[in-house]
Amino acid sequence: MKKTIKTLKFSVAFLFVFSSFIACDKDFAIVESDVLGEQNSNFKTDSISFQIAAYNKKLDSLQINGLSSYLLGVYNDPAYGQTIASIITQITPSIYSPDFGDNPVIDSVVLTIPYFNRATGTDENGNPTYTLDSIYGKIPKEAIKPFQLTIYQNNYFLRTFDPNTSLDQKQKYYSKADGSINTTDNFALNGSSVINFDDQKGALVYSNSSFTPSNDAIKTSVGVAPDKVTTLSTPALREKLDIAFWKTTILDKEDDAVLSNPSNFSNYFRGLYFKAETIGGTGNMILLNLATNANITIYYSKDSSVAGEKTQSTYTLNFTENILNTFINNYSSVPLQNGNKTTGDEKLYLKGAEGSMAVVDLFSGTNTLEDFLNTYRIPLGNNEYKKDRYGNYILRRLINEAQLIIYEDDSMLTYGVDDNGDDYHEYDRIYAYDIKNNKQLIDYDYDPTGNTTTPYNSVFFHLGQRQTDDASVSKYKIHLTEHLNNILLRDSTNTKIGLVLSTNVNRINSAKILNSADEVTSIPATSLLTPRGTILYGTNSTVPNNRKMKLKIFFTEPK
């Protein structure tokens, strides 16, 4: 299977390179071959490595609502330390002003939140089997360590709109995970004040002192034998909740105004607080899909039109967009801090869940943007460059390919292996983005290898994949060809690139940083959706040359 995947990758990459040549040929035709030199027909190819600077950026006060999915649980990163993630969410009824019928009696209340999973086949009974993509840490099911899960009613009102801005501005909530107040409660910032959700806990809704996710299919049975019908659905966090609480909170309010419209309900029932805690310092971390088929369903019986009989019905409460993730971080092993923008740092720390990122300045120190332009364009003086009659810059060198080559710190080979010999970081990806415009790089849009089925194999020409050679050296290659050509041909000023760790490069939406004091004002939200971290070699002079991050450019120029 692995050989097949590699062959497919090579074919797609070859197609991409081939199509690039076609595109170049088309460009040359448009400008009548005046782009590269004047009356030159003989060319040579070569490569050069550029001096760059890469430095650390400590992350805090990150937007934690409006995410595509949410973390829950405990993760112990071997290099950094511990992260605990909890969730606060509003819920909304599927129907307002409900009619529960005569003499309604709750049979059960079921919470369902699907896991991200993939079907892998069938078991000996013909039932479907699944693997969980939701769980972090590549370990066998029997080795997954449980965590304590408690669900409370949340009494803090989550606003939809920010009262300090114009009416159409959504309220943003930001992380506060540094433990400066305490390391047991879950905090957030609303832009002007600190919220302690543990001070806003209401009634206890559910408690499990040893929660472990399962990849088993969910079995649901309706009716009694011989008419009993059992259906199977994909794995999920599926638990029965306290009946008495939901009777008092929902069914007994049938004719009350609190169930009559969204505004009344959101003020009456302000949501749920999913609190995760460690068991003896250990646990597991899962990624939950709250956007699809996640709900609380009240199953109840009511009087039938036939005397002495009951009919069954349901009332559903859905999870809304007003959901946020909170983090408690104890990064005891690696203290995170901002780096040296001039010389670059020796080590680069990429850590998710309010951790750290790296900034790459492509033109730093003696390698200035002006030097780059003078090398590839034909200078006329006074920051002017020669153009053809169509207004295109005439180049003395044509960039064929540009690679940002990044080496992983050698210690990660030790940090990244668990007791079972599995590599935690085998499927890690590095996501590169344009920090000026807070969006993906232009090379991302040009990459034809994107797919939504297997994120690890998505956009692998531009963003690359983690590679480990025979000498146990792990590295990444980020292709920046179009990014540099944008600077060279179109006077783009996007000369700095942000690097974050990602487990799903398909997620390209941004998360804002509260009151940022430098050029990094947002990060890719995908960085928040992984608790993991990695350590890379930077560009400081103390880094060995065979490990130093470099920008390598392959070019063509006239002989």
Side-chain angles (χ1 to χ4, degrees), residues 379-404:
L380 298 176
N382 297 320
N383 294 322
E384 296 290 333
Y385 299 91
K386 193 167 186 178
K387 297 181 179 180
D388 64 17
R389 58 184 176 275
Y390 298 100
N392 301 298
Y393 289 110
I394 297 176
L395 304 183
R396 59 171 64 175
R397 285 181 177 178
L398 177 67
I399 295 177
N400 302 323
E401 185 175 350
Q403 301 175 352
L404 184 66

Side-chain angles (χ1 to χ4, degrees), residues 112-121 123-125 127-133 141-142 144 212-220 231-239:
T112 304
I113 304 176
Y115 298 133
F116 293 98
N117 58 79
R118 286 173 288 124
T120 55
D123 61 18
E124 63 275 9
N125 298 317
N127 296 323
T129 57
Y130 300 89
T131 184
L132 291 187
D133 293 325
K141 175 182 175 182
E142 58 272 13
I144 299 175
T212 305
S214 171
N215 64 342
D216 294 336
I218 301 295
K219 294 182 179 181
T220 305
T231 58
L232 297 176
S233 55
T234 59
L237 192 166
R238 187 176 173 88
E239 301 292 335

Side-chain angles (χ1 to χ4, degrees), residues 271-325:
L272 296 173
Y273 171 22
F274 291 72
K275 182 178 175 65
E277 297 173 272
T278 70
I279 299 176
T282 64
N284 69 83
M285 183 74 76
I286 49 178
L287 188 67
L288 294 179
N289 181 7
L290 285 161
T292 306
N293 299 322
N295 58 62
I296 295 170
T297 302
I298 300 174
Y299 295 89
Y300 68 95
S301 302
K302 59 185 178 180
D303 288 349
S304 169
S305 57
V306 179
E309 294 186 5
K310 290 276 189 178
T311 60
Q312 292 183 323
S313 190
T314 60
Y315 189 68
T316 304
L317 300 156
N318 298 310
F319 294 94
T320 69
E321 293 182 0
N322 221 347
I323 307 170
L324 56 89
N325 237 149

Side-chain angles (χ1 to χ4, degrees), residues 157 170 192 215 243 254 259 309 323 448 463 496 498:
F157 183 72
K170 293 289 186 71
S192 58
N215 64 342
I243 290 177
E254 179 178 357
L259 299 186
E309 294 186 5
I323 307 170
L463 295 177
K496 291 186 179 181

Side-chain angles (χ1 to χ4, degrees), residues 73-88:
V74 179
Y75 186 82
N76 288 312
D77 188 285
Y80 288 87
Q82 187 178 85
T83 293
I84 304 175
S86 297
I87 297 172
I88 294 87

Side-chain angles (χ1 to χ4, degrees), residues 140-332:
K141 175 182 175 182
E142 58 272 13
I144 299 175
K145 299 182 183 301
F147 66 91
Q148 181 174 324
L149 174 60
T150 314
I151 305 176
Y152 301 95
Q153 185 176 4
N154 168 48
N155 289 330
Y156 181 84
F157 183 72
L158 297 174
R159 296 190 298 247
T160 301
F161 297 100
D162 188 344
N164 299 314
T165 62
S166 57
L167 292 177
D168 60 345
Q169 293 293 311
K170 293 289 186 71
Q171 174 69 56
K172 294 181 175 64
Y173 293 94
Y174 303 89
S175 62
K176 182 171 178 53
D178 57 7
S180 57
I181 301 176
N182 66 60
T183 58
T184 58
D185 295 352
N186 282 280
F187 298 92
L189 305 170
N190 62 9
S192 58
S193 60
V194 178
I195 309 160
N196 184 343
F197 288 104
D198 283 84
D199 285 345
Q200 301 289 335
K201 289 187 303 189
L204 179 66
V205 177
Y206 169 84
S207 180
N208 189 335
S209 61
S210 185
F211 176 81
T212 305
S214 171
N215 64 342
D216 294 336
I218 301 295
K219 294 182 179 181
T220 305
S221 298
V222 178
V224 294
D227 300 320
K228 184 176 181 180
V229 177
T230 299
T231 58
L232 297 176
S233 55
T234 59
L237 192 166
R238 187 176 173 88
E239 301 292 335
K240 289 187 176 182
L241 305 181
D242 179 64
I243 290 177
F245 172 83
W246 295 99
K247 177 184 181 299
T248 303
T249 306
I250 301 297
L251 258 68
D252 289 353
K253 299 293 184 180
E254 179 178 357
D255 296 320
D256 198 301
V258 297
L259 299 186
S260 64
N261 60 63
S263 178
N264 287 354
F265 184 83
S266 62
N267 188 51
Y268 162 65
F269 193 92
R270 299 184 173 185
L272 296 173
Y273 171 22
F274 291 72
K275 182 178 175 65
E277 297 173 272
T278 70
I279 299 176
T282 64
N284 69 83
M285 183 74 76
I286 49 178
L287 188 67
L288 294 179
N289 181 7
L290 285 161
T292 306
N293 299 322
N295 58 62
I296 295 170
T297 302
I298 300 174
Y299 295 89
Y300 68 95
S301 302
K302 59 185 178 180
D303 288 349
S304 169
S305 57
V306 179
E309 294 186 5
K310 290 276 189 178
T311 60
Q312 292 183 323
S313 190
T314 60
Y315 189 68
T316 304
L317 300 156
N318 298 310
F319 294 94
T320 69
E321 293 182 0
N322 221 347
I323 307 170
L324 56 89
N325 237 149
T326 60
F327 304 107
I328 300 173
N329 290 330
N330 181 13
Y331 298 153
S332 55

